[in-house]
């Protein structure tokens, strides 16, 4: 008569531990993550701390608010955004796909450390092209925001990628319906401080987005009216 193998309880334990590890990993990815973002000391002060959260102004002249706490939620392509915008962002992306456009997210929330690394990479690329350090830093700032001055650090902005460029026309015409704006329009670089980025979309809320779309305003122009 064959006796039960002593290895069976060990195998069951290993299977249980493996399932537990997978469950914890899924929870880490899917469950909202609370973050507290603090402006790097190198970033300029924010001059508009009293604005509603969705209208927070961050650009090369206005750094992150001193302290900002919010929950992150993982959405398409494993990117994370402020939980408060996740639902309407998913609606916009799903509706774009329903129109036949190929859609994916290249970027969502970034830490200041991640933003620093991106900025340094861009500076290095310009230096490799023959520019001196000061010029390379200035040119890099037109394409990659310095740490503490990027909307990605707010969790309210995403970079949307596609193999069908017509998607950007659709987004420009329809994103306001979901509370998003094309943050860096082609003719507003002097006001935004950033070169035209048709892929960069920022949540401002449906009311503000509708007004900005109707009047052809960038966020800086809208807030000048809002505060006036």
């Amino acid at each position: 008569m064959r006796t039960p193998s002593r290895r069976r309880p060990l195998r069951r334990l290993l299977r249980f531990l493996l399932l537990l590890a997978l469950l914890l990993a899924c929870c880490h990815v899917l469950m909202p993550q609370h973050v507290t973002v603090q402006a790097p000391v190198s970033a300029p002060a924010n001059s508009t701390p009293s604005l509603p959260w969705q209208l927070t102004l961050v650009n090369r002249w206005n750094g992150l608010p001193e302290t900002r706490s919010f929950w992150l939620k993982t959405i398409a392509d494993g990117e994370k955004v402020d939980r408060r915008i996740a639902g309407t962002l998913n609606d916009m992306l799903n509706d774009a796909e329903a129109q036949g456009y190929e859609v994916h997210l290249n970027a969502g929330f970034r830490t200041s450390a991640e933003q620093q690394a991106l900025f340094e990479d861009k500076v290095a690329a310009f230096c490799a092209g023959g520019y001196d350090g000061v010029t390379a830093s200035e040119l890099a700032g037109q394409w990659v925001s310095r740490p503490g001055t990027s909307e990605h650090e707010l969790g309210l902005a995403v970079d949307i990628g596609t193999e069908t460029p017509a998607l950007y026309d659709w987004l420009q015409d329809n994103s306001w319906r979901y509370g998003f704006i094309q943050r860096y329009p082609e003719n507003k670089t002097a006001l935004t401080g950033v070169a035209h980025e048709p892929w960069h979309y920022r949540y401002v809320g449906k009311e503000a987005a509708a007004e900005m779309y109707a009047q052809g305003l960038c966020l800086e122009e809208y807030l000048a009216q809002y505060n006036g």
Side-chain angles (χ1 to χ4, degrees), residues 183-194 215-218 221:
R183 181 64 177 92
Y184 306 121
E186 192 168 11
N187 60 340
K188 305 287 186 178
T189 298
L191 296 170
T192 65
V194 178
Q215 299 179 51
L217 303 176
C218 66
E221 292 173 306

Side-chain angles (χ1 to χ4, degrees), residues 65-86:
E66 217 168 289
T67 302
R68 181 181 175 88
S69 294
F70 53 94
W71 291 87
L72 289 172
K73 185 173 182 179
T74 302
I75 54 170
D77 297 302
E79 295 295 335
K80 297 178 181 179
V81 296
D82 188 314
R83 181 173 62 177
R84 292 169 290 189
I85 76 169

Side-chain angles (χ1 to χ4, degrees), residues 136-212:
S137 181
E138 180 60 30
L139 291 172
Q142 296 179 19
W143 295 98
V144 179
S145 298
R146 300 173 193 273
T149 67
S150 171
E151 292 188 328
H152 287 287
E153 296 168 86
L154 288 173
L156 300 180
V158 292
D159 290 345
I160 301 174
T162 185
E163 299 300 324
T164 50
L167 166 68
Y168 296 128
D169 295 327
W170 185 89
L171 287 171
Q172 193 168 10
D173 290 338
N174 293 279
S175 61
W176 63 273
R177 304 177 192 276
Y178 306 86
F180 286 83
I181 57 168
Q182 186 193 100
R183 181 64 177 92
Y184 306 121
E186 192 168 11
N187 60 340
K188 305 287 186 178
T189 298
L191 296 170
T192 65
V194 178
H196 178 47
E197 293 187 355
W199 56 82
H200 183 103
Y201 276 79
R202 154 73 191 267
Y203 184 81
V204 294
K206 292 183 179 180
E207 181 180 349
E211 292 182 28
M212 293 169 66

Side-chain angles (χ1 to χ4, degrees), residues 34-110:
H34 187 260
V35 295
T36 298
V37 176
Q38 293 182 316
V41 294
S42 60
N46 191 289
S47 62
T48 57
S50 60
L51 289 171
W53 65 271
Q54 72 273 20
L55 293 178
T56 301
L57 177 64
V58 170
N59 56 25
R60 64 166 55 193
W61 306 284
N62 290 272
L64 295 170
E66 217 168 289
T67 302
R68 181 181 175 88
S69 294
F70 53 94
W71 291 87
L72 289 172
K73 185 173 182 179
T74 302
I75 54 170
D77 297 302
E79 295 295 335
K80 297 178 181 179
V81 296
D82 188 314
R83 181 173 62 177
R84 292 169 290 189
I85 76 169
T88 189
L89 175 58
N90 276 326
D91 289 343
M92 183 172 75
L93 299 180
N94 290 337
D95 288 349
E97 287 186 333
Q99 294 295 316
Y101 300 110
E102 186 265 346
V103 183
H104 56 86
L105 290 186
N106 289 333
F109 171 76
R110 293 189 193 123

